[in-house]
Amino acid sequence: DHVTPDVITLSKALGGIGYPISCIAYDEAFDSWKPGAHIGTLRGHPVATAAAAAAKLEGTAADLPVLIDRAEAQGQDVTPAKDHLAAMTTAIDAAQASVDGVADDVLPLAPADWNDGSAEPVLRAARQSIVDARGELRTALAEARQVIAALAA
């Protein structure tokens, strides 16, 4: 017998960062919420997602100095790599600062706040924080690629 589930739930603690992250996969026919209307655990909380991405990039940033030191020991000019690593670290810090405290603002909202619209200003600010973090994470990833490219040169 072939069984096609209506809903699949997944979860994982990523990198010990303090934010659990989970997601739910379902047929679009079951999606009755507008984008951004519900950002709870069952919708893959964007704050947790941004924090997890920042933690993964932070791990990469912690590993790159070993590669830089190895290249420097072999006589390579690693100044560009070090500059890109510094920019990467700055972008990761900015992304983490963008989402810091967002969950503390959103989670206390009661169902009545969501229903009467009084949650909207908090949600608008949270969405902007997530957009800002996403931009910083893209910058961090681009800088990581530049570190690797500088070392490969």
Side-chain angles (χ1 to χ4, degrees):
D1 292 326
H2 179 72
V3 176
T4 303
D6 292 333
V7 177
I8 299 171
T9 58
L10 310 160
S11 66
K12 179 76 176 163
L14 296 175
I17 60 170
Y19 278 108
I21 185 168
S22 64
C23 69
I24 185 169
Y26 52 86
D27 187 298
E28 284 186 35
F30 297 110
D31 190 7
S32 60
W33 286 309
K34 295 177 184 173
H38 180 67
I39 60 170
T41 302
L42 297 177
R43 297 287 282 188
H45 201 289
V47 174
T49 304
K56 291 297 182 185
L57 283 169
E58 195 170 50
T60 300
D63 293 339
L64 288 173
V66 173
L67 299 176
I68 292 171
D69 291 345
R70 189 177 303 148
E72 189 171 37
Q74 295 173 354
Q76 184 175 347
D77 178 14
V78 295
T79 304
K82 286 181 178 181
D83 291 344
H84 288 295
L85 179 59
M88 177 186 182
T89 303
T90 298
I92 292 168
D93 291 346
Q96 290 172 325
S98 292
V99 295
D100 188 37
V102 171
D104 295 334
D105 295 337
V106 173
L107 293 177
L109 296 172
D113 299 325
W114 294 83
N115 293 334
D116 70 10
S118 61
E120 184 57 33
V122 174
L123 297 177
R124 192 176 308 115
R127 283 186 206 108
Q128 186 58 52
S129 294
I130 293 162
V131 167
D132 294 346
R134 186 179 303 135
E136 293 295 343
L137 292 171
R138 285 187 184 123
T139 298
L141 182 58
E143 292 295 342
R145 289 180 177 138
Q146 290 298 319
V147 170
I148 294 166
L151 294 174

